[in-house]
Amino acid sequence: MITVSLTHFLLLCLVVVAAAAASNNITTDQQALLALKDHIIYDPTNLLAHNWTSNTSVCTWIGITCDVNSHRVAALDISQFNLQGTIPPQLGNLSSLTTLNLSHNKLSGNVPSSIYTMHTLKFLDFTDNQLSGSVSSFVFNMSSIVEIRLTNNRFSGELPKNICNYLPHLKALFLDKNMFHSKIPSALSKCKQLQQLNLQFNNLSGAIPKEIGNLTMLKGISLLCNKLHGEIPHEIANLRNLEALVLGMNNLVGVLPAPIFNMSTLKVLILMDNSLSGSLPSRIDLSLPTVEFLELAHNRFSGTIPSSITNASKLTVLALGENTFSGFIPNTIGNLRSLLRLSLANNYLKSSTSKLSFLSSLANCKKLRFLNLGGNPLDGILPSSIGRTVV
Ligand SMILES: *[C@@H]1O[C@H](CO)[C@@H](O)[C@H](O)[C@H]1NC(C)=O
Ligand SMILES: *[C@@H]1O[C@H](CO)[C@@H](O)[C@H](O)[C@H]1NC(C)=O
Ligand SMILES: *[C@@H]1O[C@H](CO)[C@@H](O)[C@H](O)[C@H]1NC(C)=O
Ligand SMILES: *[C@@H]1O[C@H](CO)[C@@H](O)[C@H](O)[C@H]1NC(C)=O
Ligand SMILES: *[C@@H]1O[C@H](CO)[C@@H](O)[C@H](O)[C@H]1NC(C)=O
Ligand SMILES: *[C@@H]1O[C@H](CO)[C@@H](O)[C@H](O)[C@H]1NC(C)=O
Ligand SMILES: *[C@@H]1O[C@H](CO)[C@@H](O)[C@H](O)[C@H]1NC(C)=O
Ligand SMILES: *[C@@H]1O[C@H](CO)[C@@H](O)[C@H](O)[C@H]1NC(C)=O
Ligand SMILES: *[C@@H]1O[C@H](CO)[C@@H](O)[C@H](O)[C@H]1NC(C)=O
Ligand SMILES: *[C@@H]1O[C@H](CO)[C@@H](O)[C@H](O)[C@H]1NC(C)=O
């Protein structure tokens, strides 16, 4: 009895497997790609027209890589072909695809929802196209996806509130240079593996959600040039792997959470063009040993420039202009040997000596290419060591 039912069971399994195999094979892949070819209205090099022909195997087509074992299409990379056209829903039938790279073309129209549920996809790159429409109603259900790049398109509408519900492996999310307008969804914190978050150059508003501090794998955050309000959440200091924090060109207010200066991995801190206030911590050298890029211009920072900043030996850019810093420019500023750009313009900074000795020290900064000290009450005599080289 047991043997019979087991046989029945095995038969049933075979039927199910056969049915599944029949519904998705290389023929399905070919149909999906021919549907894409049909939707291309301009192909300046005629690559697809001449190469994607049904009398040759899909696996020999330009831009296609097949998996040697399954003999299914594993990668579609037709980036930089200058193609015009739209993306057909059939593309979602490429059910073994791991890489979809359509970047640097002129594709337009909406992205069909079938794309956002491709379970085998690891890399999705639509960078530099003219794709449009809202994605707010789509379920991003891509259980294998590692990178999503929608940079520089015309996507609009709100960011899906539940965007991270079904993206357990997502490491990089690039939605920059679009026209998204909404708050930054706090549910982003469900993308626990996220390392790169780039939402710059959109129309995002509201406050930066404090839940961002839960994304402990994050290495880079850029929210540059949006309409974000409120204070920088101090939870950001929980991000122990953070290398770049780019929040410039928003409407952020308040003082910098002091622990930000204690982040031992931070290399880039860009906060210019906000309304941030408060002073720099006095032991900034202990705090910022790794920082290369400190861009705080055009805010309301005040207080003195701590002389300890001249111990931040990796600094290449120090931009503190257009604030209300006061006191003396440190005479040891020339210790910053890696400096390429120094701007202290439009503050209330003075020299501690009438000979502007901080300027003599700057002569040690052999790599310095840009220096702006204008708009400060700096009366004195230019030291001869520097007068001829720096204007
Ligand atoms: C793919 O599946 C269809 C049925 O859905 C079948 O007719 C066709 O022969 C299969 N093609 C290959 C190459 O196995
Ligand atoms: C394949 O078909 C195209 C027309 O679709 C034809 O120009 C080409 O010569 C054919 N190639 C082969 C190898 O049969
Ligand atoms: C299509 O392009 C690939 C890669 O360049 C080439 O190997 C293949 O022979 C081409 N096929 C046809 C039919 O031109
Ligand atoms: C897509 O192709 C471009 C080159 O055309 C490349 O720079 C980019 O890294 C590729 N994207 C992915 C996710 O591999
Ligand atoms: C391919 O996708 C389309 C639209 O998403 C669907 O209607 C069609 O049944 C699929 N075809 C195959 C062969 O799976
Ligand atoms: C996500 O995809 C899985 C696998 O196809 C499916 O079972 C599940 O229902 C989907 N979830 C949603 C919310 O669409
Ligand atoms: C940005 O959002 C504001 C409302 O918050 C709206 O008035 C404006 O048109 C939007 N700009 C773009 C480019 O979408
Ligand atoms: C995420 O962050 C919030 C606020 O910082 C916190 O209350 C919550 O417990 C965190 N959730 C998880 C799942 O870690
Ligand atoms: C920074 O870290 C040092 C030692 O690691 C600690 O003494 C100091 O209180 C911290 N400062 C802030 C603002 O967290
Ligand atoms: C720079 O660091 C050294 C130790 O590394 C310390 O003795 C010195 O006081 C620091 N300089 C300033 C200006 O804080």
Side-chain angles (χ1 to χ4, degrees), residues 102-124:
L102 307 181
S103 66
H104 311 289
N105 283 295
K106 290 175 182 154
L107 301 172
S108 55
N110 292 0
V111 174
S113 58
S114 61
I115 302 296
Y116 297 127
T117 55
M118 294 177 79
H119 287 286
T120 51
L121 210 55
K122 288 185 175 164
F123 304 99
L124 172 71

Side-chain angles (χ1 to χ4, degrees), residues 77 79-80 101 103-104 123 125 147 149:
D77 181 347
S79 59
Q80 292 177 319
N101 194 341
S103 66
H104 311 289
F123 304 99
D125 196 342
E147 272 186 43
R149 295 179 181 267

